[in-house]
Amino acid sequence: GEDVKKPFTPEKAKEIVMSLQQPAVFCNMVGDWPALHWNVKHLSALLDGKTIQFRLGLKTMDLVPQFETMCSYVEATLEEFLAWSCGQPSPLSGPFSCYEYSKYWAYADYKYIARIFEDKPEIFQDIKWSDFGFPGRSGKESTLWIGSEGANTPCHLDSYGCNLVLQVQGRKRWHLFPPGDTSFLYPTRIPYEESSIFSKVNVANPDLKHFPEFRNTTPHVVALSPGQVLLVPRHWWHYVESIDPITVSINSWIELDADHEARVEEAITRMLVCAIKSAENPSDGDLWLNPTEVEATSHDINLQYLNEAVSAYFRCPEATVLEQTHPSSMAAEPRTSISCKRRKRDRGCEPEDCRSPAHELDFSTLKAEKLQKIPFGPHLVQVLPQSQETSSMGAAEVESDHKDLLHENGAGHSGKLHCTRKQLVTSSDYEMPAHQMDADSSPVASQTGLSTNDVLDCLVNPRVISLVAQLLLERRRA
């Protein structure tokens, strides 16, 4: 019925979403949402034989993340996906029949509901984000994710907004890391995608020899079940995996005032990545652009993006106040961001009004006071750091793994190259045997020759870009 009492009013839910700086799970908030019935059977009836693109990856555990550039892609119907996911080899599984179910997972990720159901706009109302205090928001501003067991997204942070995720079918395990863990997660912009910063670490199977700092992270792990809604606060890293044979979830990114600055940072990053990767001699295997990015844009276009982002920033006066009022914990932190996730070229996706919610102007003390008022309990469950985590399924084994890993000490560090009062070490000063130059993968090469990507990782590191953005904005202000 319409009058089911929810544990939080829309106003209270919105206050929690906009002020909470740690992940939490809302329970008993969506019992009356028709979208709760959007299992794969229901969705296949709605889609009525329409095909969607699935991304396929290998289930085998690797030490490197399985980026989207390394995946296979098939166009298939949900019926074919359903037939395949039963694990029974069958002619009914169509394009999936080339991929053995025991070896592969499949993921229809990031499907804009407005696009795949453009001919059925009435179903947008099945999703009622108005219950969380966002009155205009429905399925039209939401994204659908359908996966088989093992389906996953590499660990990354979203440059823009915060994220509300509704679990509909099956369970997914989320590994979350706070913004302060950024440097321990070895951020990279390759593969390049406008709104995501990826981690080089496969957090489910970390390579501690190459990424020793990963041991300093504070993972927060939670298994999300149907009917629960997870809040992923701004700039929290996350790795997500499906732990049941079929999973369905729906999410929506909530725009924040801080996105204006993030848009400037993303525009600077885009300009640098495109300029440097375009200047490099392309090699066959260099898939630096994520499949979600249509093309490498020209320098002129990127400069135009940057100027638009800077202008938008100054059209929102509150954004300039934010600089002084960031809570101290964030001050040292990169504040990277971007516009509506993966909707770069759809214009008109900025929020129309730039009025700052009161919480953005709170000083850290006020924020701390407000945090005391967060009504944690059976209806709002904190996602705790793993060491304290007991209830979450599988967290215990993950925790002991994490501890065992602390004993492997990867102490191999490469010798430094000393040069006195010379601007550049030229090839004549430092001959490298040709065989060490070829294979990027050979251990010798990785310790000696720096690649374009090594330079890029440093140049577009979130801390560097944050500083460049502040200097550029000061220059425009002057």
Side-chain angles (χ1 to χ4, degrees):
E2 283 303 298
D3 47 1
V4 180
K5 184 96 173 68
K6 311 247 163 162
F8 305 109
T9 63
E11 296 71 32
K12 186 63 187 170
K14 182 173 186 175
E15 183 192 309
I16 294 167
V17 168
M18 299 304 272
S19 62
L20 196 51
Q21 303 288 304
Q22 51 173 293
V25 176
F26 286 91
C27 304
N28 313 306
M29 284 291 287
V30 299
D32 58 344
W33 288 22
L36 225 41
H37 306 296
W38 284 24
N39 56 37
V40 171
K41 271 210 159 66
H42 177 82
L43 291 169
S44 68
L46 282 177
L47 277 171
D48 191 28
K50 186 173 169 180
T51 64
I52 52 179
Q53 191 184 61
F54 287 82
R55 177 164 71 91
L56 287 120
L58 284 162
K59 285 182 175 174
T60 52
M61 267 288 185
D62 202 352
L63 285 172
V64 288
Q66 191 152 28
F67 290 118
E68 289 163 76
T69 43
M70 305 317 236
C71 291
S72 307
Y73 291 83
V74 304
E75 293 279 333
T77 64
L78 280 185
E79 285 84 347
E80 290 165 334
F81 170 72
L82 214 48
W84 177 75
S85 69
C86 297
Q88 257 35 73
S90 134
L92 297 174
S93 59
F96 286 110
S97 49
C98 311
Y99 299 91
E100 212 182 307
Y101 177 74
S102 61
K103 295 200 173 82
Y104 288 89
W105 48 257
Y107 209 178
D109 50 355
Y110 279 110
K111 303 301 168 202
Y112 275 99
I113 290 170
R115 275 189 211 140
I116 59 174
F117 295 114
E118 55 196 344
D119 50 344
K120 294 195 168 64
E122 63 281 1
I123 70 150
F124 299 163
Q125 301 318 309
D126 286 9
I127 298 162
K128 306 173 181 290
W129 297 113
S130 53
D131 284 345
F132 286 86
F134 304 99
R137 196 174 279 263
S138 68
K140 196 175 179 198
E141 296 80 21
S142 306
T143 320
L144 181 64
W145 309 68
I146 302 166
S148 68
E149 190 174 339
N152 66 79
T153 308
C155 185
H156 67 285
L157 71 75
D158 299 321
S159 309
Y160 305 133
C162 64
N163 191 359
L164 284 174
V165 189
L166 164 67
Q167 195 58 31
V168 174
Q169 180 178 5
R171 290 163 306 154
K172 271 181 163 170
R173 190 177 293 121
W174 286 71
H175 299 242
L176 299 128
F177 302 87
D181 281 359
T182 293
S183 64
F184 310 142
L185 285 160
Y186 299 84
T188 182
R189 293 316 295 261
I190 290 178
Y192 174 74
E193 176 189 300
E194 197 241 342
S195 54
S196 301
I197 303 177
F198 290 104
S199 166
K200 291 178 154 189
V201 185
N202 177 351
V203 301
N205 190 31
D207 179 350
L208 291 173
K209 283 207 170 50
H210 279 102
F211 308 116
E213 295 283 322
F214 179 73
R215 6 168 151 277
N216 298 322
T217 58
T218 308
H220 295 56
V221 181
V222 64
L224 201 63
S225 298
Q228 298 181 330
V229 173
L230 172 68
L231 164 66
V232 182
R234 168 174 153 84
H235 288 179
W236 274 69
W237 291 84
H238 45 288
Y239 164 77
V240 190
E241 54 183 342
S242 294
I243 55 181
D244 281 323
I246 292 184
T247 63
V248 174
S249 36
I250 295 167
N251 85 295
S252 194
W253 281 279
I254 309 291
E255 298 83 15
L256 298 170
D257 282 337
D259 292 347
H260 291 289
E261 187 174 357
R263 226 166 268 125
V264 175
E265 294 174 336
E266 282 299 299
I268 296 165
T269 301
R270 183 186 196 98
M271 178 188 270
L272 291 171
V273 173
C274 290
I276 287 172
K277 292 305 279 184
S278 306
E280 190 183 30
N281 280 333
S283 81
D284 288 343
D286 188 22
L287 306 165
W288 63 273
L289 213 54
N290 220 31
T292 49
E293 285 290 326
V294 193
E295 56 184 352
T297 35
S298 72
H299 187 75
D300 289 350
I301 298 250
N302 292 338
L303 188 57
Q304 197 183 320
Y305 274 143
L306 176 59
N307 278 295
E308 282 172 18
V310 170
S311 302
Y313 176 91
F314 283 108
R315 279 200 301 277
C316 285
E318 289 81 6
T320 54
V321 184
L322 287 182
E323 290 178 16
Q324 293 82 47
T325 61
H326 262 285
S328 49
S329 65
M330 281 298 281
E333 256 319 298
R335 303 200 294 275
T336 39
S337 277
I338 22 194
S339 79
C340 305
K341 180 80 174 159
R342 291 214 185 178
R343 277 255 281 284
K344 291 132 243 219
R345 289 173 198 82
D346 300 9
R347 279 287 157 249
C349 81
E350 334 258 298
E352 291 81 69
D353 88 73
C354 298
R355 283 191 304 275
S356 174
H359 83 270
E360 285 285 357
L361 300 171
D362 284 350
F363 292 95
S364 36
T365 50
L366 294 180
K367 212 157 218 171
E369 276 171 35
K370 192 161 234 172
L371 219 55
Q372 307 309 306
K373 296 204 200 85
I374 302 277
F376 292 118
H379 306 297
L380 182 67
V381 182
Q382 293 183 75
V383 179
L384 294 169
Q386 224 175 274
S387 51
Q388 307 161 31
E389 181 70 74
T390 46
S391 57
S392 159
M393 204 203 94
E397 79 228 20
V398 183
E399 183 191 335
S400 58
D401 281 353
H402 203 66
K403 291 226 177 71
D404 296 342
L405 293 172
L406 298 180
H407 305 307
E408 291 176 25
N409 212 339
H413 64 255
S414 52
K416 287 200 178 59
L417 239 178
H418 296 289
C419 50
T420 42
R421 298 215 324 223
K422 261 200 197 154
Q423 293 309 290
L424 284 170
V425 182
T426 62
S427 55
S428 57
D429 298 321
Y430 177 60
E431 291 288 347
M432 187 191 278
H435 71 272
Q436 292 184 11
M437 295 294 280
D438 311 332
D440 208 7
S441 55
S442 85
V444 196
S446 61
Q447 284 189 5
T448 48
L450 289 168
S451 66
T452 305
N453 290 356
D454 291 328
V455 177
L456 252 188
D457 280 341
C458 299
L459 195 57
V460 296
N461 180 290
R463 285 177 298 179
V464 176
I465 294 295
S466 177
L467 176 59
V468 175
Q470 286 164 43
L471 293 170
L472 264 183
L473 292 169
E474 275 168 37
R475 171 171 297 225
R476 246 299 294 270
R477 220 172 257 125

